[in-house]
């Protein structure tokens, strides 16, 4: 069942999501050659504590990080550790925060120094995928209109859409109904209503769409080990247009 949030619940979600986005923005700005993913993780934990929120991923099914940090061919769920970020790497950082009983969930892929132009195009396209998908999160559309918009942008650019992981409803729980694939034909699934809240998160690969999970049981990599990008916003379906909830407060 897809939960339609009441105005008071949406107001609480706005606050949680803004805090989430502000922390992600700060952590992402620390990505640079020479930094370890563990250092990014510790910074996120410190900022979450200061914000009086709880890191949603920490302890989730035993996950040991406060963020997911996925470098280059790592798609999602990378575990922060001793890995040193190098010049030319791209680092996907995914962060979830619980505040006031609601969850915000957001991700970005950032470049460390100068990166290959084709990888930059992958990052740009993945952001376009996210914006196109969010553009369909309007009352009266069908759920798979979101999915299709993402796939069209990715494949027109010559990239592939990860099938094994999808976006999701979000609210009091990090994962609520429905699942939101980033691919598929339009015009299918539930009709969207204003007040539904989703985490939309395209994962787009430079090469093949297939993934596999490494021996740590967490880190998802591309099957061909070519780079992947991941951008995510928590949004609310609106009557005229969607509202992006995970907008950082750049003054804080
Ligand atoms: Mg998510």
């Amino acid at each position: 069942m897809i939960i339609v949030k009441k105005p008071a619940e949406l107001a609480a979600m706005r606050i949680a999501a803004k805090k989430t986005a502000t922390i992600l923005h700060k952590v992402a700005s620390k990505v640079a050659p020479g930094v370890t993913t563990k250092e990014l993780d510790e910074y996120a934990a410190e900022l979450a504590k200061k914000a009086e929120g709880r890191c949603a991923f920490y302890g989730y099914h035993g996950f040991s990080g406060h963020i997911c940090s996925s470098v280059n061919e790592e798609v999602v769920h990378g575990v922060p550790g001793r890995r040193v970020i190098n010049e030319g790497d791209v680092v996907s950082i995914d962060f979830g925060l619980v505040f006031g009983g609601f969850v915000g969930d957001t991700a970005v892929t950032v470049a460390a120094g100068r990166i290959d132009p084709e990888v930059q195009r992958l990052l740009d396209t993945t952001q376009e995928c996210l914006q196109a998908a969010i553009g369909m999160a309007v009352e009266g559309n069908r759920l798979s209109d979101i999915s299709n918009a993402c796939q069209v942008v990715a494949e027109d650019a010559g990239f592939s859409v990860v099938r094994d992981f999808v976006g999701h409803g979000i609210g009091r729980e990090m994962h609520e109904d429905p699942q939101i694939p980033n691919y598929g034909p339009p015009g299918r699934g539930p009709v969207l209503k204003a007040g539904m809240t989703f985490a939309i998160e395209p994962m787009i690969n430079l090469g093949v769409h297939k993934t596999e999970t490494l021996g740590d049981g967490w880190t998802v990599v591309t099957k061909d080990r070519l780079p992947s990008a991941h951008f995510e916003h928590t949004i609310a379906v609106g009557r005229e247009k969607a509202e992006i909830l995970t907008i950082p407060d750049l003054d804080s």
Side-chain angles (χ1 to χ4, degrees):
M1 189 196 58
I2 306 176
I3 302 165
V4 175
K5 273 72 178 181
K6 298 183 182 80
E9 292 173 313
L10 275 179
M13 276 196 77
R14 269 184 205 106
I15 295 167
K18 187 168 278 295
K19 285 182 185 283
T20 312
T22 303
I23 292 171
L24 180 73
H25 177 78
K26 288 181 176 172
V27 173
S29 73
K30 294 284 188 213
V31 169
V35 173
T36 67
T37 54
K38 183 78 187 159
E39 287 168 332
L40 299 176
D41 188 71
E42 286 169 351
Y43 186 44
E46 180 193 319
L47 292 172
K49 195 174 173 194
K50 231 188 255 176
E52 298 178 333
R54 180 171 68 76
C55 294
F57 305 166
Y58 183 71
Y60 185 82
H61 293 284
F63 190 75
S64 62
H66 302 84
I67 58 171
C68 296
S69 55
S70 308
V71 182
N72 296 337
E73 75 283 1
E74 297 173 356
V75 180
V76 284
H77 305 165
V79 184
R82 278 176 297 187
R83 183 165 183 169
V84 178
I85 297 163
N86 290 314
E87 173 85 20
D89 283 349
V90 286
V91 185
S92 300
I93 302 170
D94 194 348
F95 181 64
L97 186 81
V98 188
F99 183 87
F102 288 89
V103 189
D105 191 1
T106 181
V108 286
T109 302
V110 288
R114 286 174 65 86
I115 61 169
D116 185 296
E118 189 65 355
V119 178
Q120 183 62 56
R121 197 171 68 85
L122 175 70
L123 267 52
D124 295 343
T125 300
T126 307
Q127 281 185 278
E128 286 165 27
C129 287
L130 177 57
Q131 292 303 327
I134 291 170
M136 300 308 283
V138 176
E139 183 160 281
N141 284 350
R142 296 288 199 104
L143 184 67
S144 83
D145 295 335
I146 293 173
S147 312
N148 182 256
C150 174
Q151 182 178 20
V152 166
V153 172
E155 293 183 354
D156 279 358
F159 300 128
S160 68
V161 178
V162 170
R163 266 64 166 166
D164 300 334
F165 300 89
V166 297
H168 49 92
I170 186 168
R172 291 188 189 276
E173 302 295 330
M174 182 158 66
H175 295 123
E176 296 183 350
D177 286 340
Q179 292 201 345
I180 309 172
N182 296 301
Y183 61 93
R188 310 266 175 96
V191 175
L192 304 181
K193 290 197 185 97
M196 291 176 171
T197 46
F198 298 153
I200 300 179
E201 49 177 324
M203 290 147 264
I204 307 297
N205 295 350
L206 192 72
V208 300
H209 74 76
K210 290 207 170 107
T211 69
E212 53 193 37
T213 303
L214 297 183
D216 63 9
W218 282 107
T219 312
V220 175
V221 296
T222 55
K223 188 113 186 162
D224 58 12
R225 301 299 192 270
L226 290 176
S228 184
H230 179 210
F231 285 85
E232 175 180 27
H233 272 307
T234 297
I235 65 100
V237 174
R239 292 211 170 75
E240 306 288 326
K241 66 192 273 265
E243 178 184 353
I244 300 175
L245 303 178
T246 38
I247 301 278
D249 179 1
L250 298 176
D251 299 326
S252 88

